[in-house]
Amino acid sequence: RPRAQASARGEGRMSGDGPESVGVAHINEHGKVEFGGCLRCSWSEAKGRILRATRTWKEGEEILVEHPLHIVVEDEKCAAFKLLKKLCKEHDEHFDYEPLWYWCAIQSLTAEQLKGAKGCSGASPEVQRNLLLLHHEEVDEPSRAANMIVKEIAPNADPITVERLIQIWVLNCFEYSDKPQGYSTYFFSSFMSHSCCPNAVWHYTGTDHVLRCRRDISVGDEVCISYLPENGLLQSAPNRRMELHETKRFWCDCERCLPDHDDFSRGLVCPKPKCKKGVVFAKTPLAGPAKDNTLLPVHLIGSTCSECGEAMTRPEATKLAALEKKLQELVDEYTESDKDPPQRKLELDEAFVDEHFRQHVLADLFFEQLCTAYGSKKKYGEQRRLLERRCAFHKAAYPGLSGAHAWACEALGDCHRALSAQKNPNEKKASFADAQRCYHEALEVLRLMFGPDHEYVTDVESKEALLEIEASR
C-alpha cells in the first residue's frame, strides 16, 4: 500500500471502523472466519486501514496462512490477450505498464462485465468485491489505456472499474510464476503496512502466503511487513524511501526512516586530520518527498564522529558525499562489466574503500562484486575475508533477523568448504568447523523467518549433511 507506518506499540490506536466504503467490518468478518480473528483491522484518519494483533507471538511463530484471492497468468493462446499485447505495442504512449498488468485487470472483471470479450475467464463478483477493497488511488476518470481496453476488448465493462483494477494490481500484487509470467493477490495480507524494521515476514508455501513473526509481537501491536526485498532493507534511507515511492507511491516514515536519525547503512571514516579513524554516520533525510535518491551532503552536515566527537562541517560533508558518489560509480562499473578485473585493480579499489568507508551499504555492494571476482579466480581466501566483512556489516546495519545476513553466512560456509580442498589434513579440520559454524548461524535465522520445511532451510541442511560426510573421510 502507498504508505508506511511504524509498528511501535500504542501509536495510532484504533479509531473505529471508518467509512463504510473502506470495508473494515467486511475485512474483520473475513479475518474472523478464515483466521480466528488473530488480527483485527481498524481505521484511523492518519493511517487508513491497518492490522493489529489480538494475541501475542514469539519470534519465528506462524501467524497465518492465506490462500490467493486471485491469480492471473499470461495466456499467449487467448485472442483477448493477443489483442491486448497488440494495443500495448501500437499505443505505448498510453499504456504505461507491461501487458500483464492490464491483463490482470481484465481477468478481474466479472462474467457480466466480460460479455463480448473473447477467451476471458474473469472473476466472481465476491472476488472482485474483495479486489476493489484493496488499496488504490482515487480514480476520478479512466486513463486512455482503460478506455481502449473497454472499447476493444471488454465493451460491457465500466472504464472506471477497469482503471481501478489496473491500479489495484500494480500496488498490491505478488509475483506468482515466471513461465508463463503470472501475478497473484492476497486479501487479508494486503492490509499490512510496510516498515523498514518489520515485525512480520511472509513467504510462499506452494501458492499460499505464510506470515511469520519476525520480532516478538504483543496484543495491540501493528503487524507490519517489508515491501522491500531482504537486501533492500540494508540500503540507505534515501534509497529505501525512493524505491518505495517509485514502486508503491509513498514516502516511508517508519522508525528507521524518521528524520535526523543515524543511518547505520551510511558510515564513513572521519575526515578530520587529527582523527581519521572514527565513524561518521549520515542522518536520515527530512520527512516527505525527495527529488531523488542522491546521498546528499546535507545528510552529513553536523553528524559527529564516534571517536573524536567533532561535527562535520559543510565542506567536509561535501567531500564525504563526493566519496559516496565515487564509490557508487565503482560499484556500477563492476556490476556492468563482463570482464575479469586484474588483481592490481582489485587491490587498489579495495584500498580506496578501506580508506574512506567503515559501515556503508555501497562498500557492502562493492565487496559483493569482489567476492564474485575472487571466486572466479578460485582465490577463496580473499573471498572468505570479504564475506566475513559483509556478514559483519549486515549484523551492524540491520536490527533483527535478516535473510540477507543468513545468505551471506551460507555463502561464507560454502567458501570455507571450498578452502578445505586446498588445505592439508590438519587445516581441513578447522575449515570444516568454520563452515559448520556459518551454516548453523544461517539456519538459526532462516528457520525463524521461513519455517523448518522451506527450501532456504533444507538447502543449507543438505550442505551440512554433505559437510559431515566430507569431514568423516
Side-chain angles (χ1 to χ4, degrees):
R1 294 180 302 167
R3 66 177 187 279
Q5 295 87 243
S7 57
R9 297 170 189 174
E11 187 176 312
R13 290 293 179 184
M14 305 174 186
S15 59
D17 287 353
E20 186 177 349
S21 61
V22 303
V24 168
H26 175 76
I27 294 165
N28 280 325
E29 182 60 29
H30 176 91
K32 184 177 180 180
V33 171
E34 296 293 330
F35 312 114
C38 64
L39 299 176
R40 186 177 187 280
C41 183
S42 61
W43 171 267
S44 73
E45 292 299 327
K47 302 171 74 172
R49 295 170 299 189
I50 59 174
L51 295 180
R52 289 193 181 274
T54 62
R55 50 155 290 186
T56 61
W57 284 278
K58 292 294 183 182
E59 185 181 71
E61 284 189 303
E62 186 178 276
I63 297 174
L64 59 82
V65 179
E66 183 173 22
H67 303 312
L69 170 61
H70 199 37
I71 298 171
V72 179
V73 298
E74 293 177 330
D75 188 354
E76 298 291 349
K77 295 181 180 179
C78 175
F81 184 67
K82 290 179 181 178
L83 177 55
L84 174 64
K85 290 181 69 175
K86 182 180 178 183
L87 290 173
C88 290
K89 185 176 181 179
E90 293 179 352
H91 303 279
D92 60 346
E93 72 275 18
H94 301 310
F95 286 81
D96 297 328
Y97 309 113
E98 294 297 316
L100 181 55
W101 297 109
Y102 300 103
W103 184 237
C104 287
I106 293 169
Q107 290 287 58
S108 300
L109 296 170
T110 64
E112 178 67 25
Q113 293 165 332
L114 284 170
K115 282 183 178 179
K118 297 180 180 179
C120 299
S121 54
S124 69
E126 179 62 19
V127 166
Q128 188 186 91
R129 178 192 178 189
N130 286 344
L131 281 169
L132 290 170
L133 281 174
L134 302 187
H135 186 89
H136 59 287
E137 296 176 350
E138 291 296 325
V139 177
D140 297 321
E141 59 182 50
S143 63
R144 290 289 297 275
N147 280 323
M148 292 179 72
I149 286 170
V150 170
K151 180 181 178 181
E152 301 292 338
I153 297 175
N156 212 40
D158 172 27
I160 289 284
T161 301
V162 173
E163 182 64 29
R164 290 177 67 193
L165 288 167
I166 292 169
Q167 298 306 320
I168 284 163
W169 278 93
V170 167
L171 293 170
N172 296 277
C173 82
F174 296 84
E175 292 183 1
Y176 170 73
S177 60
D178 293 326
K179 294 182 180 180
Q181 189 176 9
Y183 293 144
S184 58
T185 53
Y186 296 82
F187 183 61
F188 206 63
S189 302
S190 294
F191 300 108
M192 278 179 280
S193 301
H194 164 84
S195 171
C196 295
C197 190
N199 56 10
V201 59
W202 70 270
H203 65 85
Y204 284 118
T205 294
T207 61
D208 289 342
H209 196 167
V210 181
L211 187 71
R212 289 186 177 275
C213 179
R214 187 170 187 154
R215 291 189 287 140
D216 288 358
I217 296 173
S218 298
V219 174
D221 285 356
E222 184 183 354
V223 177
C224 297
I225 58 173
S226 172
Y227 297 172
L228 298 169
E230 287 299 300
N231 61 350
L233 289 174
L234 295 169
Q235 269 292 348
S236 64
N239 272 287
R240 294 197 309 270
R241 297 181 79 245
M242 183 55 66
E243 175 70 16
L244 290 164
H245 174 68
E246 290 179 345
T247 58
K248 300 298 181 181
R249 300 177 187 172
F250 73 90
W251 295 102
C252 187
D253 61 357
C254 75
E255 60 195 91
R256 288 181 69 209
C257 292
L258 288 174
D260 204 34
H261 285 58
D262 284 347
D263 188 339
F264 293 115
S265 291
R266 276 185 79 187
L268 297 97
V269 175
C270 177
K272 302 286 184 183
K274 293 182 179 180
C275 185
K276 293 285 187 179
K277 49 185 179 179
V279 183
V280 177
F281 288 107
K283 296 297 184 182
T284 49
L286 295 175
K291 182 179 179 182
D292 53 34
N293 63 347
T294 301
L295 305 182
L296 298 172
V298 69
H299 303 149
L300 288 151
I301 297 173
S303 294
T304 56
C305 171
S306 63
E307 187 74 18
C308 69
E310 292 192 33
M312 297 300 104
T313 64
R314 181 177 294 275
E316 288 168 337
T318 300
K319 288 180 181 179
L320 291 176
L323 290 170
E324 290 182 300
K325 182 180 179 181
K326 182 177 178 180
L327 181 51
Q328 179 65 70
E329 291 169 352
L330 196 60
V331 171
D332 293 341
E333 176 191 336
Y334 275 80
T335 304
E336 295 166 6
S337 175
D338 55 1
K339 295 180 180 179
D340 198 12
Q343 180 67 29
R344 183 59 177 160
K345 176 173 173 54
L346 296 176
E347 293 171 355
L348 289 173
D349 289 341
E350 186 177 352
F352 162 74
V353 173
D354 286 343
E355 182 181 359
H356 300 293
F357 300 89
R358 279 295 177 271
Q359 186 178 307
H360 204 293
V361 64
L362 291 176
D364 180 62
L365 294 174
F366 173 71
F367 292 151
E368 181 181 26
Q369 295 302 315
L370 259 62
C371 284
T372 301
Y374 281 124
S376 67
K377 297 174 185 290
K378 296 188 176 180
K379 292 190 174 183
Y380 299 121
E382 296 297 311
Q383 190 181 49
R384 176 190 60 191
R385 177 178 59 80
L386 292 162
L387 281 167
E388 287 171 346
R389 297 184 70 173
R390 296 198 69 207
C391 288
F393 166 74
H394 298 160
K395 267 190 170 181
Y398 184 77
L401 298 177
S402 166
H405 175 64
W407 295 317
C409 287
E410 180 184 356
L412 182 54
D414 295 343
C415 188
H416 282 299
R417 281 183 65 197
L419 270 171
S420 69
Q422 300 177 349
K423 294 185 174 182
N424 62 47
N426 291 332
E427 292 175 322
K428 275 189 176 184
K429 187 175 181 180
S431 287
F432 284 137
D434 287 336
Q436 179 67 40
R437 173 181 51 80
C438 293
Y439 289 148
H440 179 74
E441 186 171 352
L443 284 170
E444 280 188 325
V445 174
L446 295 173
R447 284 173 179 147
L448 289 170
M449 290 184 68
F450 303 106
D453 301 321
H454 195 280
E455 62 180 327
Y456 293 155
V457 173
T458 56
D459 284 351
V460 182
E461 289 176 337
S462 296
K463 292 178 180 181
E464 270 195 326
L466 287 172
L467 186 66
E468 289 182 11
I469 294 171
E470 292 167 1
S472 65
R473 289 173 183 167

